[in-house]
Amino acid sequence: MKPIAIFRHLATEGPGYFATFLEAHSLAWRLFATDRGEPVPTRAEDFAGLVFMGGPMSVNDPLPWIAEECTLIRDAVAHDIPVLGHCLGSQLMSRALGGSVFPNPQKEIGWSRVVADDTPTTRRWLGEATDDLLASDGSAVVFQWHGETFTLPEGSERLFSNAFCANQMFALGPHLGMQCHVEMTGPMIAEWCQCWNDETAGLASLPVSVQTPEVMQAQAATQMPAMRRLADRLYTHWIAGLKP
């Protein structure tokens, strides 16, 4: 099988647990680090799938690789090559496919619960283990770190939402965009927490959607296992569509 292309936009926002998942399934992948100036490929057909990670920049920033990645996403969708977006990656997918990206009403930082839309598409992505993945209120635990959000691309369906951000996850055929971060590891959370002061600078007070570094790291041990189960299920469904 061709390798999966993973696009990193900041050294501290790599594939994390997603790389561990791919290696456990003996799937080859190649990292493209735009933070090191690596060029964006022009042919989606050279890869089994495309994966876009997060980053502190906005897709509305005048960075040359943003337009290049959006063009590659459109090429992948045109050739039915699965695309997976994490946070900024989902915003790139939205913009590439005709959506808009703009400031969320408030920042989300830390552990939160997102509620599943009860639709056939959601159930297909979650599979037979849906009841094991969701709490009694239909919610699942994820990690958040974002200040912007997106509109749903035409033809896509929302999978999850919450009170702070309406579009937490969407699917469009074999493609999945996630505003949240299910790829997190404990060391990644600890590293990101070093940027917490910069992220919250200018806030008059902390909204309930923002946790402190102490709370985020203290909750990691109890919240991570549930998020891993969700990530495993979403990633498993996504790799089923990979092109040989």
Side-chain angles (χ1 to χ4, degrees):
M1 181 179 285
K2 300 171 186 176
I4 295 165
I6 300 179
F7 296 87
R8 189 186 75 187
H9 310 109
L10 189 71
T12 57
E13 298 206 26
Y17 176 67
F18 181 66
T20 302
F21 175 90
L22 293 182
E23 289 160 7
H25 288 78
S26 301
L27 292 170
W29 57 279
R30 178 181 173 186
L31 182 71
F32 290 88
T34 62
D35 57 281
R36 292 201 301 252
E38 293 184 21
V40 175
T42 57
R43 279 174 42 91
E45 289 180 291
D46 291 336
F47 306 99
L50 305 180
V51 182
F52 297 86
M53 306 311 300
M57 62 288 295
S58 169
V59 301
N60 299 313
D61 291 340
L63 300 170
W65 57 262
I66 290 176
E68 294 166 358
E69 289 191 3
C70 285
T71 297
L72 187 63
I73 289 169
R74 288 190 289 270
D75 186 51
V77 172
H79 291 91
D80 208 30
I81 296 167
V83 181
L84 175 64
H86 300 79
C87 199
L88 177 73
S90 67
Q91 296 167 1
L92 285 163
M93 290 173 67
S94 173
R95 176 164 180 171
L97 302 176
S100 300
V101 177
F102 46 88
N104 197 53
Q106 58 195 65
K107 288 191 174 185
E108 280 192 288
I109 297 177
W111 299 99
S112 73
R113 303 200 71 88
V114 292
V115 179
D117 283 35
D118 186 12
T119 66
T121 299
T122 301
R123 290 191 289 273
R124 185 164 60 251
W125 277 87
L126 297 183
E128 296 180 359
T130 299
D131 291 342
D132 295 330
L133 294 173
L134 302 179
S136 58
D137 61 355
S139 68
V141 64
V142 295
F143 191 81
Q144 309 275 8
W145 199 294
H146 70 100
E148 293 191 316
T149 187
F150 53 80
T151 59
L152 298 178
E154 184 176 357
S156 67
E157 292 186 56
R158 189 178 69 181
L159 304 185
F160 285 92
S161 65
N162 73 6
F164 308 117
C165 181
N167 297 321
Q168 289 283 351
M169 199 178 301
F170 70 86
L172 176 64
H175 318 295
L176 179 66
M178 298 181 287
Q179 181 61 78
C180 50
H181 290 275
V182 302
E183 81 280 13
M184 300 305 293
T185 64
M188 287 174 69
I189 293 173
E191 191 166 29
W192 289 17
C193 282
Q194 296 178 26
C195 303
W196 188 87
N197 286 333
D198 291 336
E199 287 285 346
T200 58
L203 296 178
S205 60
L206 289 185
V208 295
S209 57
V210 173
Q211 293 179 333
T212 65
E214 293 76 18
V215 171
M216 283 185 272
Q217 294 182 75
Q219 291 186 3
T222 56
Q223 303 284 34
M224 193 77 75
M227 187 172 73
R228 285 281 165 82
R229 291 193 295 272
L230 176 64
D232 282 342
R233 179 55 210 161
L234 294 170
Y235 291 157
T236 296
H237 187 87
W238 185 80
I239 65 172
L242 293 174
K243 295 297 181 180

